[in-house]
Amino acid sequence: MKNRDWKMWWKAAGIRSVKTMAQAAIAMLPAAATIWAVDWKAVIGTVALTGVASLLTSLAGLPELNKSAGNVPKEG
C-alpha cells in the first residue's frame, strides 16, 4: 500500500474501533444497579479488547475505503 493508503486505513480503522469500544462500554454499564457498582476494571479491559479486535478485523478490509466511494473515510 502507498503511504497515503495506510494513513486513510488507520483513520477509518480508528474511527470504527472507537465506535466499537463505545458500544461495548455502553452495553456493560446497565449491568450495575448504580454507577458506583460498575466494575470499571472489567469495563476498561473489555473495551480495550474490543478495540484490538476491531482493528484486527479491519485488516480483512474496510467498506469505508471502497474505491468507488473515492477512498474517503465516512464519519458518522
Side-chain angles (χ1 to χ4, degrees):
M1 254 194 229
K2 296 178 188 174
N3 191 32
R4 180 178 173 190
D5 293 339
W6 279 111
K7 287 180 183 179
M8 291 174 61
W9 183 89
W10 275 107
K11 181 176 180 178
I15 290 169
R16 179 175 282 216
S17 180
V18 168
K19 288 179 180 180
T20 302
M21 292 187 300
Q23 291 168 348
I26 290 168
M28 291 188 72
L29 293 182
T34 67
I35 195 73
W36 304 111
V38 174
D39 183 357
W40 288 107
K41 288 182 183 179
V43 171
I44 292 168
T46 302
V47 166
L49 182 60
T50 59
V52 171
S54 177
L55 288 174
L56 292 174
T57 303
S58 295
L59 290 174
L62 290 167
E64 297 91 336
L65 297 181
N66 188 346
K67 295 285 183 187
S68 65
N71 269 347
V72 178
K74 296 178 183 176
E75 294 187 31

